[in-house]
């Protein structure tokens, strides 16, 4: 992929000023329309969690684990629970279950984990839910012979999409 000097400058400007890259770079489609379609069409735990993470990265990149300073001063950042990503995720998070969403997959409910932890900075109910989810993933979920966490709860299976689900959440533990 080739970037022009203008694209590189816009990317640098976005990274330095925390302006959404989508506002500066023409991706060939309307990112905000695509975001709305994502929200409207999501119907499963992994889709809700992936959408919440995408919303966080788009609108509040400073709170994303992929941001330039994900743990300022070694701490979990404080987040307004009313921001778009967290308000969206909150409606799907079960605060009284072993996992964040009752599901037969290991990694899928964990995709809501970053949101649960950020929500937990102002409501400890979500921290409790996140801790139960982390305990399940790290201590109870099936593991492959090399210790890799299974995507399935009934048998050890490794799935490529797992990497987008649980690891961002696990960075907090």
């Amino acid at each position: 992929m080739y970037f022009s000097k203008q694209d590189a400058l816009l990317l640098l400007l976005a990274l330095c000023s925390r302006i959404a890259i989508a506002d500066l770079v023409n991706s060939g489609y309307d990112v905000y329309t695509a975001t709305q379609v994502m929200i409207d069409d999501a119907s499963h735990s992994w889709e809700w969690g992936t959408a919440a993470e995408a919303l966080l990265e788009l609108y509040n990149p400073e709170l994303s684990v992929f941001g330039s300073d994900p743990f300022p001063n070694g701490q979990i950042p404080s987040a307004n629970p009313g921001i778009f990503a967290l308000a969206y995720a909150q409606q799907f998070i079960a605060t009284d279950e072993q996992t964040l969403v009752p599901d037969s997959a290991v990694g899928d409910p964990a995709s809501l984990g970053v949101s649960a932890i950020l929500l937990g900075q102002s409501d400890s109910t979500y921290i409790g839910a996140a801790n139960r989810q982390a305990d399940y993933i790290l201590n109870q979920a099936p593991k492959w012979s090399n210790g890799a966490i299974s995507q399935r709860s009934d048998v050890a299976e490794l799935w490529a999409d797992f990497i987008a689900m649980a690891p961002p959440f696990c960075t907090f533990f």
Side-chain angles (χ1 to χ4, degrees):
M1 174 184 272
Y2 173 76
F3 289 100
S4 70
K5 287 183 182 179
Q6 180 182 8
D7 290 341
L9 181 61
L10 290 173
L11 179 59
L12 181 61
L13 178 63
L15 293 173
C16 293
S17 66
R18 296 186 187 227
I19 296 171
I21 293 173
D23 291 331
L24 299 175
V25 177
N26 181 357
S27 58
Y29 63 94
D30 182 345
V31 172
Y32 299 101
T33 300
T35 299
Q36 191 58 53
V37 171
M38 172 185 68
I39 291 167
D40 293 343
D41 289 352
S43 61
H44 297 84
S45 63
W46 69 270
E47 294 169 335
W48 300 324
T50 302
E53 189 65 33
L55 292 170
L56 194 65
E57 292 171 27
L58 179 62
Y59 293 107
N60 302 97
E62 72 280 4
L63 297 173
S64 168
V65 297
F66 300 109
S68 61
D69 188 18
F71 303 103
N73 300 315
Q75 303 295 314
I76 295 171
S78 180
N80 177 343
I83 64 171
F84 192 17
L86 299 183
Y88 171 78
Q90 189 173 23
Q91 64 186 316
F92 304 111
I93 297 172
T95 58
D96 57 352
E97 300 281 340
Q98 181 179 28
T99 59
L100 295 172
V101 178
D103 197 305
S104 62
V106 173
D108 294 2
S111 65
L112 285 160
V114 171
S115 296
I117 289 172
L118 292 174
L119 286 164
Q121 300 311 295
S122 59
D123 183 342
S124 63
T125 305
Y126 290 93
I127 287 293
N131 284 331
R132 286 189 299 281
Q133 177 68 59
D135 179 65
Y136 177 72
I137 288 176
L138 299 173
N139 301 313
Q140 299 173 38
K143 302 215 175 17
W144 195 251
S145 59
N146 65 0
I149 300 167
S150 173
Q151 168 64 6
R152 303 291 312 158
S153 60
D154 55 344
V155 63
E157 285 186 2
L158 304 181
W159 291 19
D161 64 348
F162 178 88
I163 200 71
M165 308 295 168
F169 168 60
C170 291
T171 62
F172 288 93
F173 295 93

